[in-house]
């Protein structure tokens, strides 16, 4: 669940001029439901049009981020088909060196932009807020010193949404009676916010007045997820929706999943600068997915049936003993306790199956309370 907003600003150098902020085009791709993938991911791309005044670039994420969560994507872009798919135009790769390569327009052979590789150990560092409410990913001066050619520059990296980051942009709700039906609905709310100042944590908000905000030429947010997830509503109309071409994207998502991204839908929101600045950006959509629990449902009903039979057998033996206490088979043995044991085992098993989510929530809540 997104408890806050992403934020992007820069530290200036001696070439900074008031009123002439560096201009950047932002790309965000969120991958969800990839077949064979354990984790979701958010891909972040910066197309830097005016870089000269930038000393450092800062991206705030309202969660704890480490080096293990970050992956440079420049290597995936060194492929003509992938490069063209990402930018939705016909491009080809022209290498310069290990750190920089040119994306060239196939038709006119002009350089569209240069792609810079990110060396995590030297080009980025992490700053954690004192209140523990997020991480500032800082792109250091060394990254911008690689930008020696004339024209636009592009950096692209991936934040793997694993572990505690799994639900950073997603809030999920399940049907309340899902344990008693063979199929149920799960509703996901996908929420993405950028530069929404009222959502900043207190420690970041105190510095907002001194931050140097970038001139955003456009912001693109693309959500890719399984076609089985039905879009219910969105906060605004999206720019377009289409199926993802799995043959073009297999290499690009290979670090997330070895399976081809088949049957995926792409939802695209964008905002472009007009006469007014782009101060913030919000994308919110809710999806509904049907899930089947037939095996659990049948097993739970089966255990409840066995519990009923065990209860009937136990009560029958108990009544027989009371009605005829001289019965030879019950005189010394009493009621058939094995049926009572079977009753409790079956009820316990059915409870675990039907209420395991509630039990899990209670257990982890108790563990978390004890840990504090």
């Amino acid at each position: 669940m997104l408890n806050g907003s992403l934020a992007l600003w820069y530290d200036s150098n001696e070439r900074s001029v008031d009123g002439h902020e560096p201009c950047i085009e932002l790309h965000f791709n969120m991958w969800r439901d990839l077949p064979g993938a354990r984790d979701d991911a958010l891909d972040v791309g910066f197309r830097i049009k005016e870089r000269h005044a930038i000393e450092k670039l800062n991206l705030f994420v309202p969660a704890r981020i480490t080096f293990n969560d970050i992956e440079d994507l420049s290597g995936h872009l060194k492929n003509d088909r992938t490069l063209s798919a990402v930018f939705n135009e016909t491009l080809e790769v022209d290498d310069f060196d290990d750190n920089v390569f040119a994306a060239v327009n196939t038709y006119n052979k002009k350089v569209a932009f240069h792609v810079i590789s990110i060396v995590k150990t030297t080009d980025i560092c992490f700053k954690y807020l004192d209140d523990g409410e997020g991480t500032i990913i800082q792109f250091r001066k060394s990254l911008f010193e690689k930008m020696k050619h004339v024209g636009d520059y592009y950096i692209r990296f991936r934040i793997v949404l694993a572990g505690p980051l799994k639900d950073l942009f997603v809030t999920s709700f399940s049907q309340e009676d899902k344990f008693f039906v063979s199929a149920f609905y799960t509703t996901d709310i996908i929420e993405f916010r950028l530069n929404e100042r009222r959502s900043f944590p207190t420690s970041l908000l105190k510095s907002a007045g001194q931050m140097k905000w970038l001139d955003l030429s456009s912001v693109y947010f693309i959500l890719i997820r399984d076609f089985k997830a039905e879009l219910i509503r969105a906060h605004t109309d999206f720019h377009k929706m289409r199926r993802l071409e799995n043959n073009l994207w297999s290499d690009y998502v290979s670090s997330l999943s070895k399976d081809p991204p088949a049957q995926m839908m792409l939802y695209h929101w964008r905002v472009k600068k007009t006469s007014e600045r782009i101060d913030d950006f919000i994308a919110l959509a809710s999806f509904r997915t049907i899930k089947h629990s037939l095996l659990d449902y049948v097993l739970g009903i089966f255990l409840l049936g066995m519990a009923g039979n065990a209860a009937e057998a136990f009560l029958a033996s108990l009544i027989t003993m009371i009605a005829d206490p001289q019965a030879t088979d019950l005189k010394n043995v009493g009621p058939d306790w094995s049926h009572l044991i079977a009753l409790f085992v079956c009820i316990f098993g059915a409870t675990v199956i039907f209420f395991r989510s509630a039990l899990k929530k209670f257990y982890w809540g108790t563990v978390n309370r004890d840990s504090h």
Side-chain angles (χ1 to χ4, degrees):
M1 180 177 181
L2 184 63
N3 294 315
S5 168
L6 277 72
L8 184 68
W9 71 97
Y10 74 102
D11 297 345
S12 61
N13 56 30
E14 68 278 359
R15 288 179 285 181
S16 174
V17 178
D18 290 340
H20 296 275
E21 302 92 343
C23 185
I24 287 186
E25 178 180 295
L26 297 180
H27 302 158
F28 298 97
N29 286 28
M30 182 176 173
W31 297 90
R32 184 163 172 76
D33 315 317
L34 269 173
R38 293 174 51 191
D39 306 311
D40 295 340
L42 179 72
D43 297 347
V44 183
F46 303 142
R47 184 166 179 171
I48 305 172
K49 300 176 180 292
E50 295 292 341
R51 67 189 185 280
H52 303 290
I54 300 177
E55 179 86 8
K56 299 173 183 177
L57 190 63
N58 305 283
L59 175 67
F60 169 75
V61 180
R64 184 174 179 84
I65 307 294
T66 66
F67 280 112
N68 293 332
D69 303 317
I70 301 292
E71 177 190 354
D72 173 49
L73 295 176
S74 62
H76 290 288
L77 298 181
K78 282 188 177 181
N79 177 292
D80 293 348
R81 286 169 60 86
T82 303
L83 187 66
S84 299
V86 169
F87 291 94
N88 199 28
E89 55 182 300
T90 308
L91 300 169
E92 55 189 45
V93 175
D94 185 7
D95 282 319
F96 280 94
D97 54 49
D98 293 337
N99 294 321
V100 185
F101 70 85
V104 178
N105 187 293
T106 303
Y107 297 106
N108 59 25
K109 301 302 179 182
K110 292 183 178 179
V111 175
F113 51 85
H114 294 87
V115 178
I116 295 285
S117 63
I118 300 172
V119 181
K120 291 196 291 186
T121 54
T122 58
D123 293 338
I124 61 175
C125 65
F126 301 98
K127 297 182 177 181
Y128 301 105
L129 299 190
D130 293 337
D131 52 18
E133 294 191 37
T135 305
I136 298 173
I137 305 173
Q138 186 173 81
F139 298 87
R140 294 168 143 175
K141 182 179 179 181
S142 59
L143 181 67
F144 297 94
E145 289 176 341
K146 302 175 188 177
M147 302 180 183
K148 299 178 181 179
H149 303 286
V150 176
D152 295 357
Y153 276 84
Y154 191 76
I155 59 177
R156 193 176 182 94
F157 62 97
R158 174 172 293 155
I159 302 176
V160 180
L161 303 177
L165 301 177
K166 183 72 174 179
D167 299 322
L168 178 58
F169 302 102
V170 182
T171 304
S172 297
F173 304 92
S174 295
Q175 189 174 322
E176 291 186 358
D177 61 346
K178 67 178 184 178
F179 302 111
F180 303 100
V181 294
S182 59
F184 61 92
Y185 287 104
T186 296
T187 302
D188 292 341
I189 298 178
I190 311 294
E191 184 178 14
F192 178 86
R193 285 181 271 171
L194 173 72
N195 286 351
E196 190 184 54
R197 291 164 177 77
R198 64 189 181 91
S199 300
F200 290 173
T202 303
S203 54
L204 190 67
L205 192 60
K206 291 179 180 179
S207 305
Q210 289 74 47
M211 292 177 179
K212 291 185 177 294
W213 302 101
L214 296 149
D215 181 15
L216 303 179
S217 62
S218 54
V219 180
Y220 298 87
F221 178 76
I222 297 175
L223 172 64
I224 308 101
R225 64 174 316 179
D226 193 287
F227 79 102
K228 295 177 182 177
E230 176 188 0
L231 178 66
I232 303 174
R233 64 180 66 90
H235 81 292
T236 185
D237 292 337
F238 39 78
H239 171 54
K240 61 183 175 181
M241 177 181 70
R242 62 179 175 83
R243 289 184 63 178
L244 188 76
E245 310 90 336
N246 59 10
N247 59 318
L248 297 179
W249 295 88
S250 294
D251 176 72
Y252 181 77
V253 297
S254 59
S255 61
L256 290 173
S257 172
K258 300 302 179 184
D259 298 334
Q263 305 299 331
M264 304 292 287
M265 296 295 295
L266 183 151
Y267 304 88
H268 184 183
W269 288 266
R270 74 174 183 183
V271 59
K272 290 189 173 183
K273 180 182 176 181
T274 55
S275 57
E276 298 181 359
R277 293 176 59 96
I278 300 175
D279 289 326
D280 55 30
F281 176 85
I282 299 174
L284 186 147
S286 58
F287 293 84
R288 185 171 61 188
T289 306
I290 188 170
K291 295 188 176 182
H292 298 277
S293 57
L294 185 59
L295 182 61
D296 290 348
Y297 180 75
V298 170
L299 181 59
I301 296 298
F302 177 73
L303 288 174
L304 287 178
M306 290 183 62
N309 291 334
E312 180 184 7
F314 175 76
L315 290 175
S317 65
L318 183 62
I319 292 172
T320 300
M321 184 193 72
I322 295 174
D324 187 7
Q326 302 302 319
T328 56
D329 57 338
L330 294 174
K331 184 176 181 180
N332 298 319
V333 179
D336 191 345
W337 296 106
S338 64
H339 290 134
L340 184 61
I341 295 173
L343 171 64
F344 283 113
V345 169
C346 291
I347 291 177
F348 176 78
T351 302
V352 169
I353 290 173
F354 286 134
F355 300 102
R356 62 186 179 278
S357 293
L359 292 171
K360 185 187 296 182
K361 185 180 295 185
F362 172 78
Y363 171 75
W364 285 113
T366 302
V367 171
N368 289 337
R369 287 194 297 270
D370 292 343
S371 65
H372 293 306

